[in-house]
Amino acid sequence: VEYYPADSPVSPLGIEIRAVANDAISGVNPLTAIFVIDGYEFDLTSDELTVAGDTFVLDASNMSLAGDVAVEFLVADRAELCGANLLYFEWNITLSGDGPEFTLIEPFDGSITHDRNQRIAILCEDSDGIDFHTVLVNAGTYALTYEDLIFVGDTIIAQSNGNWDSGHTYYITVSAEDMLGNPSAENIGSFTADFDPPVVTSTSPQDGSSVGDVPEFVEIYFDDDITGIDPSSAALIINGLSFDSNDPAISFASNVLRIDVERTGIIIQKPDSMKIILTEIADYPGDYGPPNAITEEYKFSFLIMEEGCKALPKPFSPNGDGWYDRVTAVSYTHLTLPT
């Protein structure tokens, strides 16, 4: 008897169990053939068992078989004298039905990257081996196939060419088959790309404005909603003098940089101006890559001026009621005015 599958593991996907039986003298009687799979019998009255010549084929694809499975095969010949001779043969098959398992190594799940060339590294494990030609890695709209990937042992590496979009969260899925054809697909994690430095949204006083008194505080408002602003990274020039976050005149509250004008020690008299240059500011480092720092200085200024006279129109109001009065000139003849 020849049989399949033999001793090596196979996938249960579309599995067929086959036995080849022949008898050169009296021949094989196919009507006597029986397969016994884990105690369940199948003969030619069963839809699962067919015969072609001397090969008996049992379709076991819908039997939910797994692990070690005992197979028995029985068939008799066509001998008429003294009864038929019965062949009995048994063997075990090993079914491996689990596809590859994936683990995200880099970037780790939920991380934030400041690296424009952030790579993706995935551990791929399967005791039956990986068919790397079937590997597909998806990150957002990017789909990477065998030709795009690097394989180092059981690790899959997807290199980036700066394709990540800042502020976008990428969900990573990977699929592959093992060497037995068992497929697996899994969502293994996500990461967020952040390549933007803090942005100045407004100042108080506003750039180009004028105020009547020296303000107690000058404030700069920022926006950075991913890693947040690192207060220790701030550096400014105020009316030609340099300050950083260690100076007592500089403080942070949430996303607001506050300058205590009195503590700067700068003497301001009216009329005067304040010119402020933000030379450095960055966000907190992400999990990968350096902090995002501004590449251009941010400048703004305002005037401090004495309040002058108000130039307002004054109503013509002879009667003093504050409303414009209409005056009409009338000419009279033969009228004698009193002296």
Side-chain angles (χ1 to χ4, degrees), residues 24 35 126 128 153 163 175 185 202 204 207 210 243 253 275 280 285 335:
F35 269 106
D126 192 298
D128 298 312
N163 296 326
S175 62
S202 64
S204 177
D207 182 32
S210 61
F243 297 84
K275 298 178 181 179
E280 298 178 30
L335 178 64

Side-chain angles (χ1 to χ4, degrees), residues 311-328:
L312 299 174
K314 296 182 178 180
F316 178 78
S317 180
N319 62 1
D321 62 1
W323 296 89
Y324 283 99
D325 294 330
R326 180 176 180 179
V327 178
T328 303

Side-chain angles (χ1 to χ4, degrees), residues 194-219:
D194 176 23
F195 313 128
D196 296 323
V199 176
V200 176
T201 57
S202 64
T203 64
S204 177
Q206 294 181 356
D207 182 32
S209 64
S210 61
V211 295
D213 295 307
V214 179
E216 182 180 0
F217 300 104
V218 176
E219 295 178 327

Side-chain angles (χ1 to χ4, degrees), residues 266-286:
I266 299 173
I267 305 301
I268 301 175
Q269 296 178 342
K270 295 183 285 189
D272 208 337
S273 65
M274 287 194 73
K275 298 178 181 179
I276 301 169
I277 304 174
L278 178 69
T279 58
E280 298 178 30
I281 194 75
D283 58 10
Y284 281 111

Side-chain angles (χ1 to χ4, degrees), residues 145-198:
T145 58
Y146 176 79
E147 291 76 11
D148 308 308
L149 301 170
I150 299 172
F151 301 94
V152 181
D154 53 6
T155 302
I156 305 167
I157 299 175
Q159 295 283 16
S160 168
N161 295 318
N163 296 326
W164 310 125
D165 296 323
S166 185
H168 189 80
T169 297
Y170 291 90
Y171 295 90
I172 304 170
T173 60
V174 59
S175 62
E177 295 180 4
D178 63 15
M179 297 306 293
L180 301 180
N182 294 307
S184 182
E186 190 176 348
N187 184 347
I188 57 175
S190 66
F191 70 95
T192 299
D194 176 23
F195 313 128
D196 296 323

Side-chain angles (χ1 to χ4, degrees), residues 214-219 238 243 247-252 257-266 268 274 276:
V214 179
E216 182 180 0
F217 300 104
V218 176
E219 295 178 327
I238 306 172
F243 297 84
D247 195 285
I250 308 300
S251 62
F252 260 89
L257 184 153
R258 175 173 288 179
I259 303 169
D260 188 319
V261 177
E262 183 178 355
R263 285 192 170 191
T264 64
I266 299 173
I268 301 175
M274 287 194 73
I276 301 169

